[in-house]
Amino acid sequence: MLASFIAENLSNPDFVLAGLVALFESRDGCHVEHERADLDRRLVALKQKKAKLATLVVDGVFTLEDVAGKAKAMQEEIGQLEARREALAVPPEPERPEDYREAVEAMAAAFTEFPFWSKEERREFLKIQRPEFWITTEGVTRYSIPVCKNSSQMDTASVLADNPHGSARVGFEVSPPFPLVPLPTLEELGLPQKRYYSITELAAAIREHPATLRRKTLIGQYPDAGCRDERGRRQFTTEEVLEIALLRRLSACGIL
């Protein structure tokens, strides 16, 4: 299980502290510029997605009630990214990983018990810790967890936005990637091998209505087709079909 896999690493304080050492060593001027550029890119992408949602409401594709939750989540993320962007303008004092040991050990103790908790207990804990996962067609390739110096401050994700100095989001590579669910194949989907697939063929293969599939590509829940035919209709490649089928499977399992 993914929970056991993550907990096995995060229950080891030295593993997390080693990640902090690597993070702080990379925090030079060049790193700050890269982070600022990444924040700018993410802000532009989020604002474009939010604008697209507004357009879909104006066009009657969705109602305000349909997009309210997603729009609110986007705005909260935009606020956090903008706060981090402003914080980068103030050069922080050098950080010492050992200053985080108490907090890391407290977190490690919790993750030791994590695999044995109920689903409700895990959900509440993860709402506080807010780990992030990088998911590809191969599985989980990277994950990160926020850590702050004050072990009594549980909502570490909020600390990252409000007070980035004294807190850090530590990332870890997963190599080889951790598989979440079996990768789909064209044979399983009942599709023949060919160059392109229409949205109708893809929708039937993943058991979604074509209109639902079209809406999900518009709002970014599924990647859109990179090609169009002469009439402007979507043409999905084999790679795009399998990626969308995997995302559909992950969603059905409650992972996404």
Side-chain angles (χ1 to χ4, degrees):
M1 290 179 61
L2 179 61
S4 299
F5 172 79
I6 299 299
E8 181 180 346
N9 289 320
L10 296 182
S11 61
N12 180 353
D14 292 331
F15 176 82
V16 179
L17 287 170
L20 279 168
V21 170
L23 174 65
F24 294 154
E25 287 179 349
S26 69
R27 281 184 172 177
D28 52 22
C30 180
H31 174 76
V32 169
E33 288 304 316
H34 283 307
E35 184 177 357
R36 186 179 290 114
D38 181 61
L39 287 169
D40 289 341
R41 178 187 58 78
R42 292 168 64 187
L43 281 167
V44 168
L46 272 171
K47 289 176 180 178
Q48 287 176 342
K49 280 189 176 181
K50 191 177 177 187
K52 182 181 284 188
L53 274 183
T55 300
L56 292 173
V57 171
V58 172
D59 292 344
V61 178
F62 294 118
T63 66
L64 284 173
E65 291 74 17
D66 292 334
V67 303
K70 192 171 187 67
K72 181 181 178 182
M74 284 183 178
Q75 189 56 49
E76 289 176 351
E77 187 173 356
I78 287 172
Q80 291 180 355
L81 293 177
E82 288 178 338
R84 178 58 181 159
R85 183 73 168 74
E86 292 177 6
L88 288 177
V90 181
E93 296 179 5
E95 295 268 30
R96 296 191 315 143
E98 280 301 316
D99 292 341
Y100 289 77
R101 179 169 287 278
E102 181 182 353
V104 168
E105 289 179 345
M107 182 181 70
F111 272 108
T112 299
E113 302 296 327
F114 186 79
F116 307 103
W117 291 348
S118 67
K119 288 184 178 180
E120 291 72 21
E121 289 171 327
R122 290 182 187 177
R123 190 176 296 114
E124 288 305 311
F125 180 70
L126 293 178
K127 279 182 182 178
I128 295 172
Q129 288 295 332
R130 300 186 197 176
E132 292 182 352
F133 299 95
W134 282 253
I135 298 175
T136 70
T137 53
E138 296 179 314
V140 176
T141 59
R142 179 179 171 82
Y143 64 96
S144 69
I145 193 80
V147 181
C148 65
K149 289 181 182 178
N150 183 2
S151 60
S152 65
Q153 174 61 60
M154 289 300 294
D155 194 352
T156 48
S158 296
V159 174
L160 282 171
D162 299 335
N163 180 26
H165 185 58
S167 60
R169 178 170 281 279
V170 192
F172 305 96
E173 301 295 330
V174 181
S175 182
F178 184 85
L180 293 173
V181 294
L183 296 178
T185 64
L186 290 176
E187 185 178 2
E188 287 178 48
L189 297 173
L191 293 172
Q193 178 70 54
K194 59 181 184 177
R195 187 175 182 183
Y196 295 117
Y197 303 85
S198 69
I199 196 167
T200 303
E201 291 173 315
L202 174 55
I206 65 173
R207 299 180 182 180
E208 281 198 347
H209 193 280
T212 302
L213 177 56
R214 191 174 293 108
R215 284 197 296 270
K216 288 183 176 180
T217 60
L218 285 172
I219 64 175
Q221 187 170 344
Y222 291 155
D224 204 350
C227 299
R228 297 287 193 278
D229 64 12
E230 65 278 1
R231 297 176 61 182
R233 295 175 298 193
R234 290 174 173 81
Q235 297 287 285
F236 294 89
T237 64
T238 298
E239 291 74 17
E240 290 167 341
V241 165
L242 295 181
E243 181 178 358
I244 291 173
L246 176 62
L247 291 172
R248 167 73 165 154
R249 186 173 290 180
L250 292 173
S251 178
C253 294
I255 297 172
L256 291 179

